[in-house]
Amino acid sequence: MNKYRYITRYNGQKGTQNTFCGWRLCITRQKETYVRYFTDREYGESELALKAALEIRESMLAEMARGVDFVKVCRNYGKGRAGV
């Protein structure tokens, strides 16, 4: 598996409305989507934000591998939105 699968880096543009800098975790299963943002500001630096995103992703995928329903997994990890 790609080590950053489901995770995308965003770097905001100075002078525009988009100033978000961080990582986005997005997993979709059977028309349900979970999205969570990990900002550099929240975690102090890019590497720590990425580490947090990777940890959440691995935990979610492990639960789904054990057969836990995706929507239930999304609820367990908060901040995301299932059913988008």
Side-chain angles (χ1 to χ4, degrees):
M1 179 192 302
N2 177 353
K3 82 177 187 179
Y4 297 127
R5 188 170 183 182
Y6 308 117
I7 298 176
T8 306
R9 175 73 187 167
Y10 285 92
N11 288 316
Q13 301 286 325
K14 288 187 178 181
T16 68
Q17 291 181 343
N18 179 17
T19 58
F20 172 77
C21 291
W23 298 90
R24 175 182 178 255
L25 169 62
C26 182
I27 302 175
T28 301
R29 295 282 189 277
Q30 299 176 349
K31 299 182 183 179
E32 300 288 337
T33 301
Y34 174 87
V35 178
R36 183 165 171 184
Y37 294 91
F38 300 83
T39 66
D40 295 350
R41 183 179 300 166
E42 179 182 359
Y43 290 91
E45 61 182 77
S46 176
E47 292 79 20
L48 293 175
L50 175 60
K51 183 179 176 188
L54 290 168
E55 287 174 0
I56 295 293
R57 180 198 65 184
E58 292 306 314
S59 297
M60 290 179 75
L61 293 177
E63 282 193 39
M64 288 186 287
R66 290 193 306 267
V68 179
D69 180 62
F70 179 65
V71 174
K72 193 172 196 176
V73 171
C74 292
R75 274 191 241 121
N76 292 343
Y77 286 90
K79 283 194 177 181
R81 300 179 303 155
V84 175

